[in-house]
């Protein structure tokens, strides 16, 4: 499974970009937006005189948010790049010592009057090594899914169904084959491991120390690479708390699980050099509040925990306590870095709008789930199968609850299913609100589908029909649409090329000083930093209040403000060159989502005027000087006043 999934995603990636035949510059350009930003730190470490020199360079970074010096390990979840860079340096050092060639290079003739480029293939090429390790990790994840499905259902057939469902719904489960350097590519495999360990802990009567340590370590490996991991873990502990207040697991077991979460959170806080977003998160607040409720509830609420009004009281106490504690800790630490998360949620429910919120919600991945998504789930029979499983779980747990009341016997198997069902609901809510979070819902649907093989749930049916017969009949029906989905993926053929950006980057390297400071659209800035090593003032990692304020200043070029005012603010940031993209001035993903329209929400006083970017495209004088221009980009030099 490891080998098969690795080959599958490697093939899709190669088919889409012809990555093996790209030059070094083209490979770097293929890592768009934040992918290029993350990869740039890997590049810095491997090109430094020594590994530790490289680490010190990214911990005292002067290029990413000029003129600030920032610790990027604290800000950007870059431990994957640090680890991969160390492995790359060790690998190349050993191969060089042994005299073994690590890459093969050749000249690629690109035709159409373009200059030939050198392309290298093999693990000695940095980009190829970087991508290969990511695909290997995600290949390993498929083996974990098989084990997870097998353990949850109690049958290897369950593991088979999980894996097959994943492949049949591959485009809904992951995007690692299109965007390897994203944080989820490093982080999500460890969430699968973490949930497998949690399932084991919920199933056993007595928790041993080893399992708690393993849970803690998997939490750390999940949280360290990805800033959004805390929100997923928030849904997990909320689901566990709901299971607890319904009486399906005892508070002592939940407190042990919470202790593992707390330790892992503290370790991540230390390893990320005191990243305050971790301690002021809803996740951290929720851990403290749930622990307090578990301690106080037996003393304050004397009645049986099974009474519905007590569930409501404890649930409301958790919600109110979490929001209040989160607000107070953010206020105490002066942190507003994750304030945009609350605004995004407000935009979903009450139509709230501001500049930062629209920068997210205008992107398709942050929109509501597409209506076609449940249809695609249904066509592969994934959704119908899971709905049947979900219904049977509800019915069986009710029956077992009655037996518990009568005989005081804990049926751990059924109660772990309550957690998985609640977790499925939580993932469904996340995915419906933010389409990008299908990443969590679809794989969990695949895992839940494995329960169709569970004797505890469907033993009554297996008395009438052989489990293998039922499973292979389901898989055969799934394969009708699933095989078509796979064929569609395999038929995607492309070749990466971005000549306008290549011209831009080559011009920058030849015609500007090494310390020339650039500003522009976030995706382009990541490429400028990666390929030219010029200082930039803004970048695509938007989860910082200060960076969001800088980006708003930079994007004022696409507003209707006066050119003199925009120039003055850019000079304050120390910008020497501005890269203007006319496409951003006119493109409109949906109504209200062109850059001038977004600025009309933020700056209604200038609404109705001609956008500044339109004026600059015609004539940049007298406030700016056009020094480079092609079909996509215009470089404006900012003369000092």
């Amino acid at each position: 499974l490891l080998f098969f999934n690795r080959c599958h995603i490697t093939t899709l990636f190669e088919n889409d970009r012809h990555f093996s035949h790209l030059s070094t510059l083209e490979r770097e350009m293929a890592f768009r937006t934040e992918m290029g930003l993350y990869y740039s730190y890997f590049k810095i470490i491997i090109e430094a005189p020594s590994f530790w020199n490289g680490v010190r360079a990214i911990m005292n970074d002067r290029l990413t948010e000029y003129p600030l010096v920032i610790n990027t390990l604290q800000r950007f979840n870059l431990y994957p790049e640090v680890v991969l860079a160390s492995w790359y340096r060790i690998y190349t050092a050993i191969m060089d010592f042994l005299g073994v060639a690590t890459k093969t290079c050749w000249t690629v003739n690109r035709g159409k009057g373009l200059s030939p480029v050198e392309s290298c293939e093999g693990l000695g090429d940095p980009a190829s090594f970087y991508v290969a390790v990511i695909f290997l990790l995600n290949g390993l994840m498929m083996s974990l899914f098989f084990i997870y499905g097998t353990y949850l259902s109690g049958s290897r057939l369950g593991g088979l169904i999980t894996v097959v469902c994943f492949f049949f719904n591959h485009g809904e489960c992951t995007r690692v084959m299109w965007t390897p350097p994203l944080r989820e590519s490093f982080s999500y495999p460890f969430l699968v491991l973490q949930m497998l360990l949690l399932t084991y802990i919920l199933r056993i009567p007595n928790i041993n120390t080893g399992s708690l340590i393993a849970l803690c370590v998997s939490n750390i490996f999940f949280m360290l690479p990805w800033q959004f991991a805390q929100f997923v873990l928030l849904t997990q502990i909320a689901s566990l708390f709901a299971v607890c207040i319904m009486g399906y697991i005892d508070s002592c077991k939940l407190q042990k699980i919470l202790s593992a979460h707390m330790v892992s959170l503290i370790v991540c806080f230390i390893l990320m050099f005191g990243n305050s977003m971790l301690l002021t998160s809803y996740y951290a607040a929720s851990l403290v509040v749930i622990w307090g409720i578990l301690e106080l509830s037996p003393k304050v609420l004397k009645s049986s925990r099974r009474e519905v009004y007590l569930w409501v009281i404890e649930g409301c106490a958790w919600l109110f306590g979490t929001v209040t504690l989160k607000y107070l800790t953010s206020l105490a630490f002066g942190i507003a870095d994750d304030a945009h998360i609350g605004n995004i949620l407000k935009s979903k429910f009450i139509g709230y709008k501001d500049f930062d919120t629209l920068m997210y919600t205008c992107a398709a991945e942050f929109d509501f789930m597409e209506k076609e998504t449940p249809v695609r789930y249904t066509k592969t029979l994934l959704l119908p199968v899971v709905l049947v499983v979900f219904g049977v779980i509800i019915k069986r747990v009710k029956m077992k609850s009655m037996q518990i009341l009568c005989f005081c016997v804990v049926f751990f198997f059924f109660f772990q299913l309550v957690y998985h069902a609640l977790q499925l609901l939580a993932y469904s809510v996340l995915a419906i609100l933010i389409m990008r979070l299908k990443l969590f819902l679809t794989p969990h649907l695949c895992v839940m589908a494995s329960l169709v093989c569970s004797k505890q749930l469907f033993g009554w049916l297996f008395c009438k029909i052989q489990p293998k017969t039922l499973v292979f009949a389901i898989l055969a029906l799934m394969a009708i649409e699933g095989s078509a989905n796979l064929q569609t993926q395999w038929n995607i053929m492309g070749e990466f090329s971005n000549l306008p950006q290549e011209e831009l980057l080559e011009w920058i390297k030849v015609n500007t000083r090494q310390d020339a400071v650039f500003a522009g659209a976030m995706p382009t800035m990541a490429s400028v930093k990666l390929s030219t090593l010029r200082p930039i003032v803004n970048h695509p990692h938007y989860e910082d209040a200060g960076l969001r304020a800088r980006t708003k200043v930079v994007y004022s070029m696409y507003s209707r403000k006066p050119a003199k005012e925009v120039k003055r603010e850019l000079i304050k940031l120390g910008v020497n060159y501005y890269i203007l993209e006319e496409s951003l001035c006119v493109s409109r993903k949906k109504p209200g989502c062109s850059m001038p329209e977004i600025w009309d929400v933020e700056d209604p006083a200038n609404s109705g005027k001609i956008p500044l970017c339109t004026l600059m495209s015609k004539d940049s004088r007298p406030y700016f000087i056009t020094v480079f221009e092609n079909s996509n980009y215009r470089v404006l030099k900012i003369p000092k006043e």
Side-chain angles (χ1 to χ4, degrees):
L1 287 174
L2 184 157
F3 176 77
F4 183 77
N5 191 46
R6 175 183 169 276
C7 288
H8 177 62
I9 55 182
T10 301
T11 301
L12 293 177
F13 182 69
E14 176 65 20
N15 288 349
D16 181 53
R17 303 189 188 183
H18 211 189
F19 197 72
S20 61
H21 285 65
L22 299 180
S23 67
T24 298
L25 177 59
E26 288 173 320
R27 286 175 179 168
E28 291 178 352
M29 289 191 301
F31 295 144
R32 291 276 296 160
T33 65
E34 58 187 297
M35 295 187 288
L37 182 70
Y38 297 134
Y39 181 76
S40 70
Y41 301 108
F42 170 80
K43 179 181 176 181
I44 288 171
I45 297 175
I46 64 172
E47 292 182 351
S50 71
F51 171 75
W52 291 112
N53 281 344
V55 172
R56 279 193 291 271
I58 70 170
M59 289 177 65
N60 298 276
D61 181 271
R62 299 174 182 272
L63 300 180
T64 307
E65 292 182 11
Y66 181 88
L68 304 179
V69 178
I70 62 172
N71 181 351
T72 58
L73 269 180
Q74 181 192 45
R75 285 276 301 279
F76 300 146
N77 302 83
L78 293 178
Y79 275 97
E81 280 65 34
V82 173
V83 173
L84 263 63
S86 68
W87 289 355
Y88 177 81
R89 295 186 73 115
I90 292 169
Y91 169 75
T92 52
I94 292 174
M95 293 298 106
D96 289 346
F97 177 77
L98 297 176
V100 178
T102 58
K103 59 182 177 181
T104 304
C105 299
W106 56 82
T107 300
V108 177
N109 187 349
R110 298 188 291 175
K112 297 181 182 178
L114 300 174
S115 59
V117 294
E118 183 183 65
S119 179
C120 298
E121 192 174 14
L123 293 179
D125 176 72
S128 298
F129 179 90
Y130 184 84
V131 169
V133 175
I134 295 172
F135 290 160
L136 182 64
L137 176 62
N138 282 265
L140 178 63
M141 179 184 71
M142 193 54 60
S143 300
L144 286 174
F145 269 121
F146 179 79
I147 297 169
Y148 193 177
T150 299
Y151 184 71
L152 185 63
S153 65
S155 168
R156 283 193 293 270
L157 290 174
L160 176 64
I161 283 186
T162 298
V163 170
V164 171
C165 285
F166 192 97
F167 277 107
F168 285 168
N169 298 274
H170 197 267
E172 305 291 331
C173 285
T174 180
R175 53 180 183 168
V176 66
M177 59 282 190
W178 316 130
T179 54
L182 289 184
R183 302 299 83 188
E184 65 206 45
S185 302
F186 296 100
S187 183
Y188 186 73
F190 294 104
L191 176 63
V192 180
L193 174 62
Q194 192 260 11
M195 291 188 68
L196 174 59
L197 291 168
L198 181 60
T199 303
Y200 167 75
I201 289 171
L202 292 176
R203 184 173 293 188
I204 59 176
N206 299 307
I207 305 179
N208 55 67
T209 305
S211 59
L212 284 177
I213 293 174
L215 182 68
C216 181
V217 171
S218 61
N219 269 359
I220 292 169
F221 278 90
F222 174 51
M223 275 194 286
L224 269 185
W226 198 14
Q227 66 271 24
F228 289 128
Q230 53 178 287
F231 297 102
V232 180
L233 293 177
L234 171 64
T235 67
Q236 183 177 99
I237 60 171
S239 300
L240 288 170
F241 181 57
V243 174
C244 180
I245 64 177
M246 289 188 288
Y248 292 140
I249 60 173
D250 64 275
S251 59
C252 182
K253 175 177 278 192
L254 179 55
Q255 283 183 312
K256 290 180 180 179
I257 294 171
L258 291 178
S259 65
H261 276 268
M262 289 176 175
V263 170
S264 60
L265 181 65
I266 293 169
V267 170
C268 287
F269 177 75
I270 294 170
L271 290 176
M272 292 194 68
F273 301 91
N275 186 315
S276 52
M277 267 189 71
L278 289 173
L279 288 190
T280 60
S281 64
Y282 286 103
Y283 170 55
S286 187
L287 286 171
V288 174
V289 170
I290 292 175
W291 187 283
I293 291 174
L294 294 178
E295 286 290 332
L296 296 175
S297 185
K299 302 171 185 176
V300 177
L301 304 174
K302 305 294 185 180
S303 304
S304 167
R305 297 177 67 86
R306 298 193 179 285
E307 295 183 32
V308 176
Y309 80 92
L310 293 179
W311 302 355
V312 174
I313 291 173
E314 291 180 323
C316 290
W318 166 75
L319 183 61
F320 177 77
T322 299
V323 173
T324 303
L325 185 58
K326 151 69 180 166
Y327 173 76
L328 292 175
T329 53
S330 296
L331 202 62
F333 286 92
I335 301 300
D337 293 341
D338 57 354
H340 62 298
I341 301 296
N343 290 338
I344 291 173
L345 293 176
K346 282 164 62 178
S347 74
K348 299 290 182 179
F349 296 111
I350 61 173
Y352 175 82
K353 291 181 181 180
D354 65 12
F355 181 87
D356 296 326
T357 302
L358 287 170
M359 290 292 284
Y360 277 99
T361 56
C362 282
E365 58 266 31
F366 283 92
D367 205 348
F368 288 102
M369 179 192 285
E370 300 169 307
K371 295 177 182 177
E372 294 80 9
T373 300
V375 175
R376 289 193 285 265
Y377 290 156
T378 303
K379 286 182 177 179
T380 58
L381 294 186
L382 177 61
L383 186 57
V385 167
V386 173
L387 287 176
V388 170
V389 169
F390 193 84
V392 173
I393 289 174
I394 293 174
K395 181 180 178 181
R396 287 300 179 110
V397 167
K398 284 182 178 178
M399 293 170 58
K400 294 298 174 183
S401 295
M402 292 304 297
Q403 293 180 28
I404 289 172
L405 289 174
C406 297
F407 305 109
C408 298
V409 177
V410 179
F411 290 83
F412 293 100
F413 175 81
F414 289 98
F415 296 157
Q416 66 169 351
L417 298 187
V418 177
Y419 157 70
H420 281 88
L422 290 174
Q423 186 69 72
L424 178 63
L425 292 176
Y427 285 159
S428 299
V429 171
L430 291 179
I432 290 170
L433 291 175
I434 300 175
M435 186 184 68
R436 178 182 180 181
L437 300 182
K438 287 190 299 184
L439 160 72
F440 301 108
L441 172 62
T442 315
H444 198 65
L445 286 171
C446 297
V447 171
M448 293 294 285
S450 70
L451 289 167
V452 78
C453 302
S454 170
K455 292 180 180 178
Q456 286 84 355
L457 289 179
F458 293 95
W460 54 275
L461 182 60
F462 296 157
C463 294
K464 303 173 184 178
I465 185 172
Q466 283 289 327
K468 290 181 181 179
T469 304
L470 176 65
V471 168
F472 286 111
I474 292 173
L475 292 178
L477 292 172
M478 286 180 166
I480 297 172
E481 185 68 20
S483 58
N485 290 344
L486 287 172
Q487 194 61 54
T488 300
Q489 283 192 320
W490 293 331
N491 288 340
I492 295 173
M493 293 290 173
E495 183 169 358
F496 178 83
S497 179
N498 191 342
L499 293 176
Q501 189 174 89
E502 185 176 337
E503 291 174 359
L504 170 70
L505 297 175
E506 293 289 4
W507 181 87
I508 290 173
K509 286 193 277 190
V510 172
N511 294 281
T512 65
R513 292 160 50 98
Q514 190 65 41
D515 60 353
V517 182
F518 283 79
M522 291 183 283
T524 306
M525 288 302 97
S527 296
V528 169
K529 179 188 180 299
L530 168 60
S531 299
T532 71
L533 295 178
R534 298 302 193 268
I536 58 176
V537 299
N538 65 307
H539 53 77
H541 196 278
Y542 212 54
E543 283 72 47
D544 177 78
L547 191 277
R548 291 197 293 274
R550 283 168 158 257
T551 299
K552 190 182 293 186
V553 171
V554 171
Y555 274 58
S556 63
M557 184 67 76
Y558 300 96
S559 71
R560 307 177 196 272
K561 293 176 182 291
K564 184 177 182 180
E565 179 184 338
V566 172
K567 176 187 175 181
R568 184 172 62 247
E569 294 302 316
L570 290 173
I571 288 177
K572 286 180 182 178
L573 289 178
V575 178
N576 302 125
Y577 296 92
Y578 191 98
I579 301 176
L580 179 69
E581 299 177 45
E582 190 175 354
S583 60
L584 280 179
C585 200
V586 298
S587 65
R588 192 181 190 218
K589 298 173 184 175
K590 58 184 181 181
C593 281
S594 69
M595 284 308 307
E597 287 174 320
I598 291 175
W599 267 106
D600 286 343
V601 174
E602 189 71 21
D603 182 29
N606 287 305
S607 180
K609 297 180 181 178
I610 299 174
L612 179 59
C613 50
T614 301
L615 297 175
M616 292 296 104
S617 297
K618 295 175 182 177
D619 186 1
S620 61
R621 296 171 296 178
Y623 297 103
F624 302 91
I625 303 170
T626 300
V627 291
F628 171 85
E629 183 178 1
N630 64 17
S631 59
N632 285 11
Y633 303 97
R634 179 186 291 253
V635 178
L636 307 178
K637 186 174 182 179
I638 305 177
K640 300 295 184 184
E641 293 180 337

